[in-house]
């Protein structure tokens, strides 16, 4: 039946709005589709009447409209908590949309009306056991979102059950619920031992659940530097990185800089495993991979004083190799990304260019300014261009910068002039570049219509003279006339400084300075006054007769000037130095000292090497964008600790490590879910049996590692109880289905078993295995290892699915064996697997 709405002026949801005079809207009037309108007196009571007929309403869309109106009023700040009872009755519905809106209503009024929130507890707990996983997840999320201390006792059990739910959505919702419980009551969280459960769930077959576990563990353990890492955890996550979403990949990649590889070999294997991530279109994943590569290079590279192989690559060598590898994907992303993303990537590229100069030089055209680029990207590109100059690229770069000087953007013109001068200051343009750029800057001094360019050119020439004093003859001629029309304080101060430095080659230099001294009272900028004082004293020692009188007048004015303490103190210093020095040459050596010259690749006041090193440690953070350390813009209590783990490895620094599985060998690896050579644990039911390990040889592969070994390899009496069928056929889909149906806990791992020599080819291994009735589903060869996916069937019908990795150097074998079907007795099954391992060793001639 169709419900009859109360006879009131309340607009029927989805119907015409009331007219302005209070009468119902006419059909010809426009319809107002917005729910967020001012309410009228008594309208909440009308909603109550509608909700009371909710159970008898058959029209699902009309039900939704009523709920939307309630939520709209709640959003507007209208108190609709008095509808709580009616909303609770509406929760019994199969419509997920309505149920979600009711949950939102409950969570909204939980904190302000805790007594009402407790009324819905039983309903939420009941829905946590609903047959629909979406309902279970929504109910659990709402239950955890109530965030009332008295609700902890009702939340713990549904949370614990959700972590074992068969649907991934419920499990990942439960993981986030654990975090809410942690912030609500840490004592109860510790009692429930959820921390250990989260670590166990890192092996969950669904990658989204694992992602949530990583995020929750990092937040819970933030005070200790994030979730604890060890080799097993790290390799397990890296083996599965191809399963994660883009967001999940970022979560895993953020862990890599905190992990210390066991040795060089493991570090290189991890880098090879992460290399495919650089081919993604996700800029965040690429930058996170760059940071991971740099951290691994820093961890495994040789440092001065290390007693390692002289041929081992140093930290700097490894970092240069990393930057060479990431150059192409980074440049591609800069060119193809949005403006905001391009700006951020340019900041990272700038940082990498400072780290390894010269590598990006051949890509300099990619950093040319485009007409469509926004201003901030243009500025970043122009700054980077100067760092890409070398004898081959400098002519093109200087020509490009010259075109940007006279643009309408004043800041762009200034940056272009500075970048051009930077090439000359660092002498990166090759022979003749310094003089050529100096002449260009001199020409800019006469650009009277563009005052900011003339001023910036003067400042750049002052820096250039400090670095290359021999160019004074090139730049001296236009200085006197340029001083007449340059008005900016920085430019005027730079020209005065140049007149002092070039005074011996400029005839009218003393007289130009004398005019400035006579107008001293009109100078308001302290920097100009200081430059005038320094230039006059410098010129005094070059041309004493002409400067002596004007210097005296200047010292008198400067010592009486109280507008700048620095200027006053400098004037007193010069006065006392000249008056008290018995030997004029002593005073001259102090004043004309070349200590201001550039001794390295930068001026002392521009030395930011310490900051750049600190920023590299915080690569892929806002520190690069802001160009300052995290403590400068984040409160101390909110700083995230960065702790490298593990403090020590179970393997020696120079020992061999088990291979890291590369998920890209063939398609089958993508179908195997979470299974890998390293991440499957031994079932609890058979823990008394020997555990295969890379450190202890329990199978007799090396006599020096085990006090007693198995029967000699030629003795096959122990293999006679395992009878395999001579012909078995499986398709790829069947293999995948059987592999996925066996839980990881029932798999057995045999890792790092030593071999006499590595296989010569995959064909040789396949033929040897088939002779013992072990057949190959797929195989592949990588530069460092062979990989095989094998299977066999016992006469009793039980299948054995095998994933094998044969390392080339040093020769070693790792196996993951999953039994399917047959006898479920764990002891008998383990005995058969032991015999199968011996059979595989025999087939390989070991």
């Amino acid at each position: 039946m169709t419900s009859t709405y109360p006879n009131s002026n309340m607009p029927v949801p989805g119907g015409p709005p009331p007219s302005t005079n209070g009468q119902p809207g006419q059909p010809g009037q426009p319809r107002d589709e917005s729910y967020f309108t001012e309410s009228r007196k008594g309208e909440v009571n009308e909603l109550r009447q509608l909700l009371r007929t909710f159970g008898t309403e058959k029209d699902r869309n009309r039900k939704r409209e009523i709920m939307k109106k309630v939520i709209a009023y709640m959003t507007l700040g209208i108190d609709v908590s008095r509808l709580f009872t009616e909303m609770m009755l509406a929760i019994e519905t199969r419509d997920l949309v309505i149920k979600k809106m009711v949950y939102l209503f409950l969570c909204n009024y939980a904190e302000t009306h805790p007594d009402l929130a407790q009324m819905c507890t039983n309903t939420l707990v009941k829905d946590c056991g609903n047959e629909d996983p979406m309902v279970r997840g929504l109910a659990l999320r709402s239950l955890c979102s109530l965030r009332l201390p008295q609700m902890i006792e009702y939340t713990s059990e549904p949370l614990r059950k959700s972590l074992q739910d068969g649907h991934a959505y419920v499990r990942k919702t439960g993981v986030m619920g654990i975090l809410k419980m942690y912030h609500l009551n840490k004592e109860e969280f510790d009692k429930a031992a959820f921390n250990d459960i989260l670590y166990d769930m890192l092996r969950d077959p669904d990658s989204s659940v694992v992602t949530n576990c990583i995020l929750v563990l990092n937040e819970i353990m933030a005070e200790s530097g994030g979730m604890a890492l060890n080799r097993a955890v790290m390799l397990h996550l890296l083996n599965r990185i191809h399963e994660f979403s883009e967001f999940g990949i970022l979560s895993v990649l953020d862990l890599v800089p905190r992990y210390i590889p066991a040795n060089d070999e493991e570090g290189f294997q991890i880098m090879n495993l992460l290399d495919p991530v650089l081919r993604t279109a996700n800029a965040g994943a690429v930058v996170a991979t760059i940071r991971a590569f740099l951290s691994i290079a820093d961890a495994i590279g040789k440092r001065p004083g290390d007693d390692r192989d002289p041929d081992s690559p140093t930290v700097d060598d490894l970092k240069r190799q990393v930057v060479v590898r990431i150059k192409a994907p980074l440049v591609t992303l800069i060119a193809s990304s949005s403006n905001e993303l391009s700006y951020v990537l340019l900041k990272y590229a700038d940082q990498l260019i400072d780290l390894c100069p010269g590598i990006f030089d051949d890509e300099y055209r990619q950093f040319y300014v485009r007409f469509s680029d926004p201003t901030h990207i243009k500025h970043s590109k122009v700054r980077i261009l100067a760092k890409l100059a070398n004898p081959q690229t400098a002519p093109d770069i200087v020509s490009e910068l010259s075109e940007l000087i006279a643009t309408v953007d004043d800041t762009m013109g200034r940056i272009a002039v500075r970048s051009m001068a930077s090439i000359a200051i660092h002498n990166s343009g090759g022979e003749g570049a310094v003089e050529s750029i100096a002449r260009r800057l001199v020409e800019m001094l006469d650009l009277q219509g563009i005052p900011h360019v003339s001023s910036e050119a003067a400042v750049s020439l002052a820096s250039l003279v400090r670095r290359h004093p021999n160019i004074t003859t090139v730049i001296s001629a236009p200085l006197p006339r340029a001083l007449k029309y340059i008005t900016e304080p920085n430019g005027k101060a730079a020209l005065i400084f140049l007149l002092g430095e070039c005074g011996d080659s400029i005839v009218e230099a003393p007289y130009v300075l004398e005019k400035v001294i006579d107008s001293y009272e009109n100078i308001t900028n302290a920097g100009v006054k200081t430059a005038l004082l320094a230039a006059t004293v410098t010129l005094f020692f070059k041309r004493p007769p002409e400067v002596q009188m004007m210097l005296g007048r200047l010292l008198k004015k400067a010592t009486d000037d109280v507008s700048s303490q620095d200027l006053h103190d400098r004037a007193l210093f010069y006065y006392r130095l000249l008056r008290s020095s018995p030997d004029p040459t002593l005073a001259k050596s102090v004043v004309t000292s070349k200590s201001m010259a550039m001794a390295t690749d930068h001026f002392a006041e521009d030395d930011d090497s310490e900051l750049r090193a600190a920023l590299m440690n915080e690569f892929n953070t806002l520190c690069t964008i802001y160009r300052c350390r995290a403590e400068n813009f984040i409160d101390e209590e909110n700083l995230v600790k960065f702790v490298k783990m593990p403090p020590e490895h179970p393997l020696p620094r120079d020992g061999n490590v088990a291979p890291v599985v590369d998920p890209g060998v063939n398609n089958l690896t993508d179908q195997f879910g979470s299974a890998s050579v390293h991440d499957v644990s031994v079932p609890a039911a058979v823990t008394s049996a020997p555990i295969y390990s890379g450190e202890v040889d329990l199978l007799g592969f090396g006599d020096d590692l085990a006090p007693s070994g198995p029967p000699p390899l030629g003795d096959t009496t122990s293999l006679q109880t395992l009878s395999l069928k001579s012909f078995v056929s499986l398709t790829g889909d069947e293999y995948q289905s059987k592999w996925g149906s066996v839980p990881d806990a029932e798999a057995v791992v045999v890792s790092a078993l030593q071999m006499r020599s590595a296989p010569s080819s995959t064909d040789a291994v396949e033929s040897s295995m088939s002779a013992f009735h072990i057949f190959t589903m797929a195989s592949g060869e990588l530069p460092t290892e062979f990989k095989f996916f094998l299977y066999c069937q016992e006469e009793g019908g039980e299948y054995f699915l095998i994933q094998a990795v044969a390392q080339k150097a040093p020769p070693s074998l790792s196996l993951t064996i999953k039994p399917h079907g047959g006898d479920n007795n764990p002891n008998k099954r383990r005995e058969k697997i032991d015999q199968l391992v011996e059979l595989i060793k025999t087939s390989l001639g070991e």
Side-chain angles (χ1 to χ4, degrees):
M1 66 179 283
T2 303
S3 300
T4 302
Y5 284 79
N7 184 15
S8 68
N9 289 332
M10 172 188 169
V12 177
S19 59
T20 56
N21 58 5
Q23 297 301 320
Q26 300 301 319
Q29 293 178 331
R31 295 164 60 91
D32 184 7
E33 300 294 341
S34 174
Y35 293 99
F36 301 97
T37 57
E38 294 296 331
S39 65
R40 296 176 289 104
K41 185 176 181 181
E43 198 155 4
V44 175
N45 290 328
E46 295 169 3
L47 281 174
R48 176 184 282 115
Q49 295 299 323
L50 293 176
L51 288 171
R52 286 177 179 174
T53 63
F54 203 82
T56 57
E57 178 63 63
K58 299 300 182 181
D59 188 345
R60 185 180 65 178
N61 290 331
R62 182 163 291 183
K63 285 184 175 182
R64 291 183 178 181
E65 296 298 328
I66 296 172
M67 282 294 170
K68 289 178 181 178
K69 194 68 175 178
V70 175
I71 299 301
Y73 280 12
M74 183 182 72
T75 306
L76 289 171
I78 301 171
D79 185 9
V80 289
S81 60
R82 42 187 165 157
L83 302 178
F84 197 91
T85 303
E86 288 75 14
M87 292 292 286
M88 283 295 300
L89 295 175
I91 203 172
E92 298 294 339
T93 177
R94 291 183 176 272
D95 191 333
L96 197 60
V97 175
I98 295 177
K99 191 176 285 288
K100 189 171 184 179
M101 287 190 282
V102 175
Y103 286 156
L104 177 61
F105 178 89
L106 299 179
C107 295
N108 184 72
Y109 286 107
E111 292 188 22
T112 56
H113 300 76
D115 52 334
L116 298 180
Q118 288 184 335
M119 295 172 55
C120 69
T121 303
N122 292 334
T123 303
L124 290 174
V125 172
K126 178 183 175 182
D127 281 350
C128 287
N130 193 284
E131 61 181 9
D132 188 346
M134 296 301 294
V135 175
R136 294 199 302 271
L138 285 172
L140 182 65
R141 187 176 68 178
S142 301
L143 184 63
C144 296
S145 298
L146 296 179
R147 300 189 182 184
L148 299 173
Q150 59 267 34
M151 301 295 293
I152 290 293
E153 57 180 313
Y154 303 103
T155 307
S156 298
E157 192 57 32
L159 266 181
R160 194 177 297 277
K161 289 182 179 179
S162 70
L163 300 180
Q164 300 175 352
D165 195 276
H167 199 278
Y169 172 71
V170 182
R171 295 199 301 275
K172 71 177 186 178
T173 303
V175 171
M176 299 309 295
I178 290 176
L179 181 60
K180 296 176 182 177
M181 180 180 179
Y182 169 79
H183 288 298
L184 190 61
N185 193 322
K186 295 183 180 180
E187 294 181 0
E188 291 296 329
F189 173 85
D190 294 334
K191 290 180 182 178
F194 280 128
N195 212 352
D196 297 333
I197 296 176
L198 288 173
Y199 277 108
D200 291 337
M201 291 188 69
L202 290 174
R203 296 189 301 166
D204 192 279
D206 190 272
S207 59
S208 63
V209 178
V210 179
T211 300
N212 283 7
C213 289
I214 295 173
L215 297 174
V216 172
L217 283 170
N218 277 330
E219 185 164 344
I220 289 174
M221 306 184 68
E223 294 183 0
S224 58
M227 66 175 284
L229 296 176
N230 57 32
R231 186 168 183 269
V233 170
M234 199 69 246
L235 295 187
H236 166 69
L237 294 175
L238 292 176
N239 285 330
R240 296 186 56 189
I241 196 168
H242 62 289
E243 303 174 15
F244 289 85
S245 64
E246 291 183 346
F247 181 73
I249 289 175
L250 293 176
S251 301
V252 175
L253 290 174
D254 285 342
L255 299 177
V256 178
R258 293 176 42 218
Y259 176 69
I260 305 173
N263 56 24
D264 296 1
E265 183 182 357
E266 183 179 278
F268 289 128
Q269 288 177 340
I270 292 175
M271 294 170 78
N272 289 332
L273 188 59
L274 294 180
D275 187 75
V277 181
L278 293 174
R279 294 193 290 270
T280 66
N282 186 316
V286 171
V287 176
T289 305
I290 294 173
R291 186 188 184 194
F293 281 4
L294 292 174
S295 68
I296 294 174
D298 194 62
I300 67 177
K302 186 176 68 173
R303 300 180 182 277
D306 286 359
D307 54 347
R308 295 161 64 181
D309 186 351
D311 296 332
S312 298
T314 64
V315 174
D316 292 339
D317 292 339
L318 287 177
K319 287 185 176 180
R320 290 192 68 85
Q321 293 178 28
V322 168
V323 175
V324 169
R325 173 63 188 89
I326 59 89
K327 177 180 68 173
L330 185 59
V331 170
T332 301
L333 286 172
I334 291 173
S336 60
S337 300
S338 63
N339 292 332
E340 295 79 9
L341 197 53
S342 293
Y343 176 75
V344 175
L345 293 173
L346 283 169
K347 288 289 188 179
Y348 291 131
D350 191 9
Q351 198 170 355
L352 293 172
I353 291 170
D354 288 337
L355 178 68
C356 299
I359 293 180
F360 281 83
D361 288 0
D362 58 340
E363 299 286 352
Y364 70 97
R365 287 189 176 87
Q366 299 294 333
F367 296 91
Y368 278 2
V369 173
R370 300 176 183 174
F371 177 81
S372 58
D373 285 338
T375 302
H376 56 286
I377 291 182
K378 290 180 179 179
H379 294 177
S380 296
K381 286 184 174 181
V382 172
R383 290 188 181 98
I384 291 175
L385 272 175
K387 301 178 181 181
L388 304 181
N390 59 36
Q392 290 73 40
T393 64
D396 289 345
I397 292 176
V398 172
S399 177
E400 175 72 13
L401 293 175
S402 300
E403 298 294 330
L404 302 173
I405 288 172
T407 59
V408 294
D409 183 359
D410 292 359
T411 306
M412 169 69 76
R414 293 179 187 274
I415 297 174
V417 174
R418 291 176 202 158
S419 298
M420 190 183 300
S422 176
I423 297 174
I425 291 172
H426 294 88
N427 202 16
S428 56
E431 185 177 358
V434 174
E435 185 174 345
S436 174
I437 292 175
R439 293 185 184 280
R440 286 178 181 265
L441 293 174
V442 168
E443 293 174 1
M444 296 176 197
L445 290 177
D446 293 327
L447 295 176
Q448 301 182 29
I450 316 178
H452 64 276
V453 173
S454 301
S455 176
E456 201 63 46
V459 174
S460 299
L461 284 172
S463 299
L464 199 56
V465 168
R466 291 176 59 189
R467 180 67 176 92
H468 303 285
N470 57 335
I471 67 166
T472 54
T473 56
V474 177
I475 69 170
S476 59
L479 295 180
R481 68 172 180 270
L483 187 60
K484 298 177 183 178
Y485 47 79
I486 290 183
T487 56
E488 290 189 8
N490 289 340
K492 188 177 287 291
L495 280 176
I496 292 173
F497 166 80
L498 289 172
L499 286 171
E501 292 294 319
C502 308
D504 50 353
S505 59
I506 302 176
V507 177
E508 63 269 34
Y511 312 107
V512 172
L513 290 181
E514 186 174 18
K515 292 180 181 180
V516 180
I517 293 172
D518 292 341
S519 61
Y520 181 89
E521 290 76 9
N522 298 328
I523 302 174
T524 58
N525 186 270
V528 176
K529 293 179 180 180
T530 304
L532 178 61
L533 177 63
T536 305
V537 174
T538 302
L539 191 57
F540 169 73
F541 289 103
K542 296 180 179 179
R543 300 167 68 171
E546 298 168 275
V547 180
Q548 182 177 3
M549 297 301 296
M550 70 176 73
L551 177 59
R553 296 199 306 273
L554 178 59
L555 289 175
K556 176 70 168 59
K557 294 178 180 181
T559 52
D560 293 339
D561 192 342
V562 294
S563 62
S564 171
Q565 188 65 44
D566 179 57
L567 174 65
H568 175 78
D569 292 347
R570 280 174 178 260
L572 278 177
F573 169 75
Y574 287 137
Y575 173 75
R576 292 168 180 169
L577 177 66
L578 295 172
R579 179 167 182 161
S580 61
S581 176
D583 185 3
T585 57
L586 178 61
K588 181 179 180 180
S589 64
V590 172
V591 174
T592 61
S593 172
K594 296 300 181 183
S595 59
M596 293 178 64
M598 185 175 179
T600 58
D601 62 343
H602 55 262
F603 294 115
E605 65 269 22
D606 297 331
D607 184 12
D608 60 349
S609 56
E610 184 178 345
L611 175 62
R612 281 189 285 145
L615 293 180
M616 284 308 305
N617 293 332
E618 300 185 71
F619 193 80
N620 194 23
T621 66
L622 285 175
C623 296
T624 300
I625 310 302
Y626 296 155
R627 194 165 177 76
C628 61
R629 295 181 176 88
E631 54 265 26
N632 296 129
F633 60 92
I634 300 178
D635 293 335
E636 185 177 356
E637 60 270 16
N638 295 325
L639 284 173
V640 178
K641 292 183 179 178
F642 186 83
V643 180
K644 291 213 167 194
M645 303 177 187
E648 58 182 24
H649 272 282
L651 301 178
R653 179 73 183 176
D654 56 350
N656 298 322
V657 296
V660 179
V661 175
D662 184 351
V665 183
N666 51 48
N667 336 355
L668 283 176
T669 313
D670 292 338
Q671 303 169 356
F672 288 156
S674 61
S676 71
V677 174
H678 302 286
D679 59 8
V680 186
S681 60
V682 179
V686 293
T687 51
S688 59
I691 299 176
Y692 300 105
S693 166
E695 284 84 24
V696 181
D697 187 1
L698 299 179
L699 293 177
F701 271 47
D703 296 336
D704 56 331
L705 296 179
S708 60
L713 296 177
D715 183 4
T716 60
T717 56
S718 62
L719 306 178
Q720 295 175 358
T721 58
L722 182 66
S723 177
L724 301 179
K725 288 186 177 181
S726 59
F727 178 79
V728 184
S729 178
L730 280 180
T731 65
D733 291 339
E734 291 173 342
Y735 191 102
Q736 173 191 348
S737 175
K738 292 181 184 297
W739 181 279
S741 64
V742 180
D744 292 348
E746 295 181 14
V748 174
V749 176
V750 183
S751 60
L753 301 177
Q754 299 175 6
M755 297 191 300
R756 292 191 183 94
S757 61
S760 58
S761 66
T762 56
D763 292 337
V765 175
E766 292 177 19
S767 59
S768 299
M769 292 286 187
S770 62
F772 287 80
H773 305 159
I774 300 175
F775 305 97
T776 304
M777 174 59 63
S779 63
E781 181 179 2
L782 292 174
T784 59
E785 58 195 21
F786 294 91
K787 298 194 177 184
F788 304 88
F789 299 97
L790 312 169
Y791 63 95
C792 58
Q793 186 179 20
E794 191 192 22
E795 290 291 347
E798 184 175 14
Y799 281 94
F800 294 94
L801 309 176
I802 308 159
Q803 180 181 351
V805 179
Q807 195 77 5
K808 293 181 179 180
S812 63
L813 180 67
S814 298
L815 302 172
T816 300
I817 303 174
K818 283 191 174 185
H820 182 275
D823 195 344
N824 292 327
N825 186 310
N827 294 327
K828 291 183 178 180
R829 178 169 283 178
R830 174 51 70 97
E831 182 179 359
K832 292 178 182 179
I833 291 177
D834 291 344
Q835 295 169 4
L836 179 60
V837 171
E838 291 293 335
L839 186 62
I840 292 173
K841 290 163 51 182
T842 302
S843 68
L844 296 176
E846 297 296 321

